[in-house]
Amino acid sequence: MLKGKHIVLGITGSIAAYKAAYLLRLLVKKGAEVQVVMTPAAKEFITPVTLSPLSGKPVVSEFFAANDGQWHSHVDLGLWADAMLIAPATAASIGKMAHGVADNMLITTYLSMKAPVFVSPAMDLDMYKHPSTQANLKLLQTYGNHIIEPGFGELASGLEGKGRMEEPEAIVAYLENYFAKSADMKGEKVLITAGPTYEKIDPVRFIGNYSSGKMAYALAEVCAQRGAEVYLVSGPVALETPAGNIHRIDVESAEEMYQACIEHFPSCQTAILCAAVADYRVAEISDNKIKREESGELSLHLLPNKDIAAALGERKQPSQYLLGFALETHNESQHAEAKLRRKNLDAIVLNSLQDQGAGFRHDTNKVSILSAEERLDFPLKTKKEVASDIIDYILKNRKNK
Ligand code: PMT
């Protein structure tokens, strides 16, 4: 997968910089063309003299070459690369990347980068755990960067914990996996519903639920990264639209979500219904704010909303794949299986509020995928990883349809 790929390997000032030589060698062995960019601090740990012969190119570290004043163009590198890999990435460089502190060649190259960026942190365990580092890593993720989690083990400080740069073989495997998957949804359109719906009671109140949209937005991000064009029909959430070919259609009520889905479903090969849609709406929305002093006790007359999943299930063509979600609190499998059949879904992703770290608002989820043929149980993972598992499942099973 790496043959012929242009990779900018950024090296920052960490003791783990010595591993970058081996990493570089592995990348070159896989057929990649690698341009090394080092921070000034990285040169304290490993010299360009080691790295340049391994890459077959002069190492870039300064804005200008000292001997002849030639400008090293970070802009050109940003256009040349198929990927930028920063390994090891120190807390300082991660902070500069997160906040655009462009005071060295590596950071300017990062800011000019058009290709996906992979960051492999390396630092002491307490530095890694620090809220500042974690917040900066989260920021990088919101920019669409991929964080290659550090491993547990012995650190340069002599302490043991999380902070060791991932092993070069694993980093290369991560890149290979990324490139293998980066185009497997190319040319395909995917409809995804996200977040809660709000059903108005009066001008200031609504019926809603706790959905944050995180699970659905992770799905949209993964689909876009894998080359799909995504129609993201989103209820009210406080999330940025992920990078990529994503058309976000903001809606508020279940009826608006229904209309948007009915419009876009016919052109999509896959629909993933992740939204927590309100099952009921208020029969009569009050034009004015309801006053307790005037109304006393209040009963709301609720009417059932349209079932979007079932409506798409009815319209589904043989070439289309329809995946729903089920958030359950008890008799989970039974309820999920009933929804799978009732809504004519190809598969349903079950998450239960009985599982810690699963369901609403968490960055993690624990799911099972159920179809008429099988059930697959997954451990607790980040929502991004869960999204990848779900997409892998759809691509594999759609072929067998
Ligand atoms: O947004 P997060 O905070 O990340 O949380 C993620 C999540 C818990 C919302 C998500 O993982 C999830 O489980 N979504 C579905 C929640 C749900 O309300 O499911 P349900 O059992 O009510 O509905 C079953 C399926 O029918 C779902 O695919 C739902 O989108 C769909 N549905 C339901 C009602 C309706 N009127 N129309 C629908 O399309």
Side-chain angles (χ1 to χ4, degrees):
M1 293 313 300
L2 296 180
K3 199 166 166 40
K5 291 277 186 269
H6 292 175
I7 295 175
V8 169
L9 174 60
I11 305 175
T12 71
S14 155
I15 187 80
Y18 78 92
K19 287 190 194 170
Y22 187 54
L23 176 59
L24 169 57
R25 199 161 149 260
L26 284 179
L27 290 169
V28 171
K29 268 193 164 177
K30 294 275 181 182
E33 207 179 308
V34 185
Q35 173 63 60
V36 176
V37 180
M38 299 175 85
T39 62
K43 290 197 279 187
E44 304 286 336
F45 293 89
I46 185 166
T47 74
V49 178
T50 307
L51 299 164
S52 171
L54 290 175
S55 69
K57 291 177 189 297
V59 167
V60 175
S61 177
E62 312 298 335
F63 293 111
F64 296 95
N67 54 346
D68 57 6
Q70 190 200 351
W71 184 51
H72 294 142
S73 171
H74 50 92
V75 178
D76 286 350
L77 281 177
L79 294 169
W80 173 82
D82 295 306
M84 180 174 192
L85 167 63
I86 301 160
T90 59
S93 287
I94 288 168
K96 287 181 186 181
M97 288 157 65
H99 298 284
V101 183
D103 67 349
N104 65 48
M105 183 67 192
L106 190 147
I107 308 293
T108 52
T109 305
Y110 166 73
L111 293 177
S112 306
M113 191 49 59
K114 297 268 183 241
V117 176
F118 300 82
V119 182
S120 184
M123 66 198 76
D124 196 50
L125 76 163
D126 291 314
M127 290 176 78
Y128 182 70
K129 265 198 294 203
H130 196 281
S132 156
T133 308
Q134 289 303 315
N136 286 334
L137 285 169
K138 279 222 167 83
L139 270 178
L140 296 188
Q141 277 175 317
T142 65
Y143 307 155
N145 300 167
H146 304 261
I147 310 299
I148 305 175
E149 291 257 320
F152 281 87
E154 200 181 326
L155 302 162
S157 59
L159 298 171
E160 272 210 7
K162 190 168 180 178
R164 273 174 75 87
M165 186 177 102
E166 186 51 287
E167 293 306 322
E169 289 84 355
I171 294 175
V172 170
Y174 192 103
L175 285 185
E176 285 185 312
N177 191 35
Y178 172 83
F179 281 115
K181 288 182 169 176
S182 64
D184 58 1
M185 295 184 89
K186 216 178 164 79
E188 121 156 41
K189 289 185 183 174
V190 182
L191 173 69
I192 299 175
T193 64
T197 61
Y198 285 179
E199 308 301 326
K200 275 198 168 83
I201 298 173
D202 69 12
V204 297
R205 303 180 181 94
F206 59 84
I207 298 173
N209 60 65
Y210 294 116
S211 173
S212 63
K214 286 180 183 173
M215 187 65 248
Y217 276 57
L219 283 157
E221 185 179 358
V222 167
C223 288
Q225 280 171 357
R226 294 168 78 153
E229 182 178 352
V230 178
Y231 289 82
L232 179 61
V233 180
S234 178
V237 298
L239 298 174
E240 295 285 326
T241 310
N245 196 0
I246 300 177
H247 312 279
R248 174 167 164 176
I249 301 140
D250 285 312
V251 296
E252 193 169 288
S253 64
E255 177 61 25
E256 287 168 7
M257 187 172 275
Y258 172 85
Q259 295 299 342
C261 290
I262 294 296
E263 181 187 339
H264 292 289
F265 184 55
S267 65
C268 292
Q269 287 76 52
T270 301
I272 304 175
L273 305 171
C274 188
V277 186
D279 284 321
Y280 293 95
R281 68 183 184 282
V282 177
E284 267 186 57
I285 301 168
S286 172
D287 289 337
N288 296 313
K289 184 178 177 185
I290 299 170
K291 291 287 180 194
R292 189 171 49 175
E293 307 81 56
E294 292 161 16
S295 309
E297 272 190 23
L298 180 68
S299 301
L300 292 174
H301 180 203
L302 301 179
L303 298 174
N305 275 328
K306 288 172 191 152
D307 189 320
I308 302 166
L312 301 190
E314 274 172 26
R315 290 163 172 75
K316 188 174 66 170
Q317 300 299 310
S319 59
Q320 289 179 303
Y321 194 93
L322 190 56
L323 179 129
F325 269 73
L327 177 66
E328 304 296 342
T329 55
H330 61 288
N331 294 341
E332 289 94 336
S333 305
Q334 207 181 318
H335 289 306
E337 278 163 16
K339 285 173 188 172
L340 174 73
R341 285 191 296 273
R342 195 170 67 239
K343 301 181 190 228
N344 192 24
L345 305 171
D346 292 296
I348 194 158
V349 176
L350 166 63
N351 41 188
S352 169
L353 289 185
Q354 300 287 351
D355 289 320
Q356 273 211 345
F360 291 134
R361 298 191 285 191
H362 298 288
D363 290 323
T364 51
N365 206 357
K366 183 169 183 293
V367 304
S368 301
I369 305 181
L370 282 69
S371 70
E373 294 78 33
E374 61 180 342
R375 175 192 172 114
L376 298 175
D377 298 312
F378 296 84
L380 187 74
K381 295 184 178 193
T382 64
K383 283 191 170 161
K384 183 97 187 276
E385 289 167 333
V386 172
S388 289
D389 288 340
I390 292 170
I391 300 305
D392 286 346
Y393 180 87
I394 293 174
L395 295 186
K396 178 165 171 262
N397 286 277
R398 212 180 34 187
K399 278 189 212 131
N400 305 332
K401 254 186 100 178

